[in-house]
Amino acid sequence: MAPSTLNPLPTSRVTIEGKPAATITDFAPMVNVPPFGMCSSLANPTVAAATAAAFGVLTPMPCVPVTTPWKPGAPKTTLGGKPALTAGSTCNCAWGGVIQLVMPGAIFTQSS
């Protein structure tokens, strides 16, 4: 329900503009992928329980993502043997959501 910030760990030891570069394996919930505010998916057991307790009125609960590896990643750029993440890469949440990388942390600027 709300944007969040990807937190790649500096395990690849590669930085771009002073920040750790991310790969398709940077998908650990709460470590790399922080919560997104509230979850409204009935597939999430906490949302389903809260909704049942509210007599069927959808009751969003705090987001705790359960994620899969990112895809597709960069086809030719690898960091430590793993594809690098690029804008448009996605990963899935077990509760039915799709997380998409929309704003990469590095923006190439060329000087004249």
Side-chain angles (χ1 to χ4, degrees), residues 17-54:
E17 295 180 4
K19 300 172 194 157
T23 69
I24 62 168
T25 58
D26 289 318
F27 67 93
M30 310 303 281
V31 175
N32 305 121
V33 181
F36 291 89
M38 302 295 279
C39 179
S40 59
S41 172
L42 287 173
N44 182 333
T46 60
V47 174
T51 299

Side-chain angles (χ1 to χ4, degrees), residues 16 21-25 70 72-79 81-87 89 101:
I16 299 172
T23 69
I24 62 168
T25 58
W70 293 90
K76 295 182 181 179
T77 303
T78 60
L79 307 172
K82 300 170 194 117
L85 282 187
T86 59
S89 293
L101 186 62

